[in-house]
Amino acid sequence: MGLIAAAFVAGLVAVGYSWLYKAAERFSVETFQAHPVWLFAAAPASFVLAWWLVNRFAPRAGGSGIPQVMAAIDLQDARVDHAWIAPLLSMRVAAVKIASSALCVAGGGVVGREGPTLQVSASIFYVIGRRIRSFSPIVALDSWMLAGAAAGMAAAFNTPLGGIVYAVEELAAKHFSRVRTTVLSAVLVSGLVSQWLVGSYLYLGFPAIGEAGFRVIPAAFVVGVAGGALGAFFGNVTFRLNVWLRRRLTVRHVKTGFAVALLCALALAALHMIDARALGPGNRLTSEILGGETVGNLRLIGVRVASTTVSYMSGAGGGIFAPSLAIGASLGSWVASWWSGTNAVLLALLGMIAVLTGVTRAPFTSFVLIVEMTDRHSAIFPMMLAALVALGSARVVGSVSFYEQSKRALLRDLEPVRPKAPPPSPAA
């Protein structure tokens, strides 16, 4: 019963969060495309406030949220004290994550809500699970965290299968045989709550992809190679710059984070002057590409990569899942523009799969998500090909995913403050 309650609450919060995020994105894109100069005042104000919320109330609420969930699961496996996990998963962290990321997006920030939704949902499951465990010791908190993350993925994208596959492939494959019933139940309930509130919908609509026959295979291969390498490069650069910056802030003084958030906001405003499509998480841009309303090019790809990186480096809450999809759609659209006789919409979908695979190193999750978000099962073989080829090219660039690197760095940062384990009691 407690699991159902947690999944119900997580579904409600995920839907409310998506409404808030969409409103913030709509405000920023419409306002700053009409009045670009305003961004030079609004972005610094929103970035600084978003950073301040994280720095003041929940330092581990910054960034994506997926590395925090992965780290919390590892810590729970090691049977560490609750004091270790509380900074990563709590109701305070969830509230700050939602507020900070929404503020960042309202100011034009290029961050997504999908990773943050996983951390928010896992926090809800962890808090409720700990309460239940106080009178029912059989509750396995690592299973509840994993189920919460999967439920968050399902609710964020309306992709129940994607939530399950991601739990298996990225979060904790070694746990799945033990927790599959918990994960399935959580995904089912949170997904039903989401559909009850917003109806049954496709995250990316129903794009017309035309024929997905054998002749698309060469283009799928090229997009897979390029997208996997681009996703891995983008993830590595974002991770390394962020770690370098955080270490310098720690060495000097954390208050200089104010200046960093300000500089990141001004950089975003300058990128918007280069291409007005630089703003927002990318959902609107992705929809426009899939609808044939806009076409990607090298400038757009470069601007989207740079704007996502500077937004993430600001220290506000927000992930790179949706921005990665927008980068991938831009890449696929650009390849289609010089590859005659190939459907641009289909290549945009393949680019999304490839870049997401490069970032996550989770090819099955990537193509399952896109299939569920578009209901384009007729193109499943090119999608699978793009995902697998992307995984190979990503591994050439780097062997470890953005999220795995971030999790390891987070655990290293936590080490100095880890509570000392009590000495073992003497044998009787």
Side-chain angles (χ1 to χ4, degrees):
M1 195 65 181
L3 181 71
I4 294 175
F8 187 85
V9 173
L12 289 176
V13 173
V15 171
Y17 186 23
S18 72
W19 286 343
L20 176 64
Y21 222 79
K22 289 174 183 176
E25 179 183 12
R26 185 168 55 252
F27 167 80
S28 67
V29 172
E30 294 177 357
T31 300
F32 302 128
Q33 284 186 350
H35 308 283
V37 178
W38 292 5
L39 189 60
F40 283 93
S46 67
F47 274 42
V48 168
L49 183 55
W51 165 82
W52 178 81
L53 283 173
V54 170
N55 186 65
R56 174 66 178 82
F57 296 105
R60 301 303 175 188
S64 165
I66 293 176
Q68 290 91 321
V69 175
M70 295 168 68
I73 292 172
D74 282 3
L75 292 173
Q76 185 62 38
D77 283 350
R79 300 291 186 265
V80 300
D81 188 85
H82 165 67
W84 263 60
I85 300 174
L88 303 173
L89 300 178
S90 69
M91 298 313 296
R92 171 183 285 197
V93 168
V96 171
K97 192 80 167 188
I98 291 172
S100 177
S101 58
L103 273 169
C104 185
V105 170
V110 186
V111 292
R113 65 175 169 86
E114 293 74 21
T117 301
L118 267 71
Q119 188 178 14
V120 169
S121 182
S123 294
I124 292 169
F125 273 71
Y126 177 67
V127 170
I128 294 177
R130 283 196 75 240
R131 296 290 175 87
I132 294 175
R133 192 180 187 180
S134 63
F135 57 83
S136 179
I138 63 170
V139 170
L141 290 177
D142 54 350
S143 301
W144 279 58
M145 294 178 198
L146 182 58
M153 173 71 79
F157 285 116
N158 191 33
T159 53
L161 289 179
I164 295 168
V165 172
Y166 193 65
V168 176
E169 189 176 26
E170 176 75 11
L171 295 176
K174 63 183 179 181
H175 296 276
F176 194 69
S177 62
R178 177 167 55 86
V179 304
R180 56 177 175 261
T181 301
T182 305
V183 170
L184 288 170
S185 301
V187 167
L188 174 64
V189 174
S190 66
L192 287 175
V193 170
S194 176
Q195 290 198 3
W196 167 52
L197 292 174
V198 299
S200 180
Y201 69 98
L202 295 173
Y203 187 88
L204 294 175
F206 202 75
I209 62 172
E211 184 182 351
F214 186 79
R215 68 177 184 174
V216 79
I217 297 302
F221 187 87
V222 170
V223 171
V225 170
L230 176 61
F233 172 78
F234 161 58
N236 285 344
V237 168
T238 301
F239 167 76
R240 293 182 185 281
L241 285 175
N242 195 59
V243 167
W244 173 81
L245 185 60
R246 297 302 142 202
R247 285 175 180 169
R248 290 185 67 84
L249 289 180
T250 302
V251 171
R252 294 180 177 180
H253 204 289
V254 73
K255 287 185 178 179
T256 53
F258 178 94
V260 170
L262 183 64
L263 289 173
C264 287
L266 293 175
L268 178 72
L271 288 167
H272 179 246
M273 294 299 174
I274 298 173
D275 194 316
R277 296 171 293 179
L279 296 187
N283 299 331
R284 178 172 292 203
L285 173 61
T286 300
S287 297
E288 290 175 354
I289 291 174
L290 295 179
E293 301 170 35
T294 190
V295 178
N297 53 41
L298 269 179
R299 183 183 66 184
L300 175 60
I301 295 168
V303 165
R304 289 296 303 185
V305 168
S307 60
T308 304
T309 300
V310 298
S311 297
Y312 194 87
M313 289 173 62
S314 71
I320 65 171
F321 224 95
S324 296
L325 295 178
I327 292 168
S330 302
L331 173 66
S333 174
W334 174 62
V335 171
S337 69
W338 51 263
W339 195 298
S340 61
T342 305
N343 187 293
V345 175
L346 176 56
L347 287 199
L349 294 178
L350 299 184
M352 294 163 69
I353 293 169
V355 171
L356 190 59
T357 298
V359 172
T360 65
R361 305 299 199 281
F364 298 107
T365 298
S366 298
F367 81 77
V368 167
L369 281 175
I370 299 303
V371 168
E372 277 199 282
M373 287 192 285
T374 61
D375 197 25
R376 302 285 71 186
H377 295 80
S378 61
I380 192 167
F381 290 114
M383 289 179 178
M384 293 173 68
L385 175 64
L388 292 176
V389 171
L391 179 63
S393 66
R395 284 176 172 168
V396 172
V397 177
S399 59
V400 183
S401 74
F402 167 80
Y403 296 119
E404 181 65 25
Q405 291 184 83
S406 300
K407 181 198 78 172
R408 293 177 184 178
L410 180 58
L411 290 174
R412 286 194 298 269
D413 289 345
L414 286 170
E415 186 65 34
V417 297
R418 179 174 184 172
K420 301 251 183 226
S425 58

